[in-house]
Amino acid sequence: MERVALAIGICAASITPAFAQPADPLGGAAEIRAQLTARNYTTLSSEASARIDRIATRIGQHFSKGDLLIAFDCVTQRAQVARAGAVATQADKTAAINQRLANLKSISQLEVDVSRAEVEKAKAELAIAEAAASKCEIAAPFNGITVEQKAQAFQYATPGQPLLEILDDRSLEVELIAPSRWLAWLKPGYGFQVHIEETDKTYAAEITRVGGRVDPVSQTIKVFGEIRGPAAELMAGMSGRANIPAPK
């Protein structure tokens, strides 16, 4: 069962006589503003200097964890891997021959040790080449959706350049800025309701965790929660009003 969370912020003017009108979907109790945000989101950036060969996703398209999102033109990096692999193979065979010669007392132990060191050096060079080649593709770190594309195919990318913004649209998180005096009763599992304006629906929700620090200036604290049950129509960025009444 999918669970969706909410980000909620205080609105000082939200507790007004207007909320006491019968038409209010939350029934007119004390309310605060609410906004849906994604629990998992990130900006994918380039780790290498290379031309973008292909962008396999577009804004609004969903993807699964591990799917290829961006591929770079890395002919040079792949050639370096092949060369380093050949050097490693050569070093390994040389070391094996030298060991057999040492067993026959034909060469010194020093020559054997040097050839073994060359093997380790070649393996390290191969690992470096493979690490560089691994940056030629960017895979999805989680299930999600593309929300912004900052680069185009065939564009030359530099290290650190932002390429894609993605988020997990099925794991929406709560960020509630609540008065610190609520800590006396606002605990994980505490139920409340939230009315989302974009869907014009009211959802049952619950607090999942409470922040670890009170802001000494505003006397507020972050509180997190989520909607109970599936709500596939909800999206990050939607907003509304949350009703979190104090216990009687």
Side-chain angles (χ1 to χ4, degrees), residues 123-144:
K123 288 181 179 179
E125 293 293 339
L126 176 58
I128 292 172
E130 289 175 338
S134 70
K135 295 176 173 39
C136 293
E137 294 182 348
I138 299 179
F142 47 74
N143 299 332

Side-chain angles (χ1 to χ4, degrees), residues 39-56:
R39 178 181 284 109
N40 298 317
Y41 63 92
T42 190
T43 299
L44 299 178
S45 301
S46 173
E47 293 188 68
S49 296
R51 180 175 61 84
I52 299 173
D53 188 53
R54 182 165 63 97
I55 297 179

